[in-house]
Amino acid sequence: PNVPIRNELDLYGDAGTRLALSGRVLDLSCNPIPNAVVDIWHAAPTAVAVQDLQVSDAVDYDNTSSEMRYRGQTATDAQGRYIFHTKKPGWYRNAGTFRPMHIHVKVWVGDALKLTTQLYFQGDPFIEGDPWASPDREVALSPDGAGAEKGSFDFVV
């Protein structure tokens, strides 16, 4: 409830890597679904490189403030496309280890929740030991201007 309707999540001046995440929402016949709602949330960003990561560098989610930092939802356009501008999420601890960077996603079509999943980033060293990560949900990132990255992922629901 009360998830902000916005696709611009890089609003806070936090350190970290800017990220543009885009893609499409498609039906099982690969037809675009207009007006599907893509809802994302992720942990706070970090400027710490993985090789320098210490336990004290773990980040967390903003689940309690009125800002709902790094959370938003947007509707797909007529071609089923969505885009979010955010920061790459940081790593947080779970059961004594770091989880890989990831973005939580829900996709709604009409009033029906069609998908709940997580997206990961290729090359994250914590993917291999993570029980929830899967190679079919890894996003390849590429440079997108000075210090920024972009990636794309299509959801089939």
Side-chain angles (χ1 to χ4, degrees), residues 71-91:
R71 178 144 203 180
Q73 62 177 255
T74 192
T76 58
D77 68 11
Q79 288 77 42
R81 296 178 299 210
Y82 70 90
I83 188 166
F84 288 95
H85 296 101
T86 188
K87 294 273 176 95
K88 281 176 68 175
W91 298 276

Side-chain angles (χ1 to χ4, degrees), residues 26-106:
L26 307 167
D27 67 18
L28 297 176
S29 298
C30 292
N31 298 308
I33 302 176
N35 298 313
V37 174
V38 180
D39 176 359
I40 73 166
W41 68 100
H42 63 77
T46 184
V48 177
V50 69
Q51 65 270 17
D52 300 325
L53 194 60
Q54 303 291 317
V55 170
S56 60
D57 296 317
V59 297
D60 206 348
Y61 292 91
D62 175 8
N63 292 323
T64 58
S65 82
S66 61
E67 292 177 318
M68 296 183 95
R69 294 167 68 108
Y70 302 104
R71 178 144 203 180
Q73 62 177 255
T74 192
T76 58
D77 68 11
Q79 288 77 42
R81 296 178 299 210
Y82 70 90
I83 188 166
F84 288 95
H85 296 101
T86 188
K87 294 273 176 95
K88 281 176 68 175
W91 298 276
Y92 65 85
R93 305 274 295 166
N94 184 46
T97 187
F98 282 102
R99 294 257 358 254
M101 289 181 173
H102 62 280
I103 295 177
H104 296 266
V105 181
K106 289 188 178 198

